Amino acid sequence: MLIGVAAFGILVGAVLGLVGAGGAIIAVPALVYAIGVPVTEAMSTSLVMAASSSVAAVLPRLRHGIEWRIAATVGAVGIPAAFLGTAVNAALPQHVVLLAFAALMIAAGVQMLRPRPTATGELLAGRRWVWRALLVGLGVGFLTGLLGVGGGFIIVPALVLLLNLPIAAAIGTSLVITIVNSIAGVAAHAGSGFVDWPLTIAFAAPAFAASLVAARFAARISGKALQRVFAVLVLAIAVLTIVRTALTW
């Protein structure tokens, strides 16, 4: 099983390196349906992968391209929200969690098919940005704990549309938030006994290496084409997840 997990880790890491986000959202159904990993363990494994891959992606952006005030605010609020999401996850039947995950995949796929949002880059004045950052942190943190995804495909549009960040700063800031939320999610899942560490390492380590290699080739391929192909893949997996869940309900 660990060999199969490692193979899927390479595949998911390559997708993350090429597209720049969304690897975790295909990791969960891949682990559940192709490998037979329980849903809760698949989610904790995907969170470790999301955190480690985001660390690699954020390193070149540490000096420039990160709005630290927003990252700190959203990340701090997301930590308790991730623990709350994990508690709700533990109380829900597995088929309900999978259907919620499929709904999130559909939302992500549709979002990726849309043109990227634009913003002026002028941070909202006064306390407006604080309240909106708190709202984003609560929502993303809760989804991280509930469904085991880092949420970069949600955080970036939220930072652009709600907080008026330019896309480059939104991506860098999103990576920092993803690291914080994913670590909080892993801690919450570990506290509930949901983490299989040999399985997690067998998946996350190859994914990390594959994402580094694939990122070097990303610039040679049309970003829009990659995003559209990935969006179609996510939507197809979402439909498959709904069908499989309905048949086994």
Side-chain angles (χ1 to χ4, degrees):
M1 185 179 73
L2 292 180
I3 295 176
V5 169
F8 273 103
I10 294 173
L11 174 62
V12 171
V15 169
L16 182 62
L18 290 172
V19 180
I25 204 169
I26 65 172
V28 173
L31 290 170
V32 171
Y33 292 120
I35 307 297
V37 177
V39 175
T40 50
E41 293 180 8
M43 290 180 176
S44 60
T45 299
S46 75
L47 285 172
V48 173
M49 186 276 298
S52 59
S53 299
S54 295
V55 168
V58 81
L59 290 178
R61 297 179 170 90
L62 286 178
R63 292 186 177 181
H64 306 286
I66 297 175
E67 180 55 61
W68 289 104
R69 290 181 297 170
I70 292 177
T73 304
V74 175
V77 176
I79 292 174
F83 277 83
L84 176 60
T86 301
V88 174
N89 175 289
L92 291 176
Q94 177 174 302
H95 64 269
V96 173
V97 175
L98 285 172
L99 290 176
F101 195 90
L104 181 64
M105 293 181 74
I106 292 173
V110 171
Q111 177 63 42
M112 290 179 180
L113 289 174
R114 293 178 177 176
R116 283 189 178 270
T118 57
T120 62
E122 297 179 2
L123 190 60
L124 297 176
R127 297 181 179 178
R128 292 175 60 196
W129 76 267
V130 177
W131 292 112
R132 294 189 181 188
L134 292 174
L135 180 63
V136 173
L138 287 172
V140 173
F142 182 78
L143 287 176
T144 298
L146 178 66
L147 300 177
V149 292
F153 54 89
I154 298 174
I155 301 172
V156 172
L159 294 179
V160 173
L161 297 175
L162 296 179
L163 294 167
N164 215 30
L165 286 186
I167 189 66
I171 292 174
T173 305
S174 170
L175 288 169
V176 175
I177 296 169
T178 298
I179 294 169
V180 174
N181 281 344
S182 297
I183 292 174
V186 171
H189 279 255
S192 301
F194 294 152
V195 180
D196 183 335
W197 287 110
L199 173 77
T200 298
I201 294 171
F203 183 83
F208 179 81
S211 66
L212 290 178
V213 174
R216 297 191 174 187
F217 296 94
R220 305 177 186 179
I221 308 174
S222 170
K224 290 183 178 180
L226 279 174
Q227 192 165 317
R228 289 172 182 169
V229 171
F230 182 69
V232 172
L233 174 63
V234 168
L235 291 172
I237 295 176
V239 173
L240 177 62
T241 300
I242 293 172
V243 172
R244 289 286 301 271
T245 303
L247 291 176
T248 57
W249 192 334

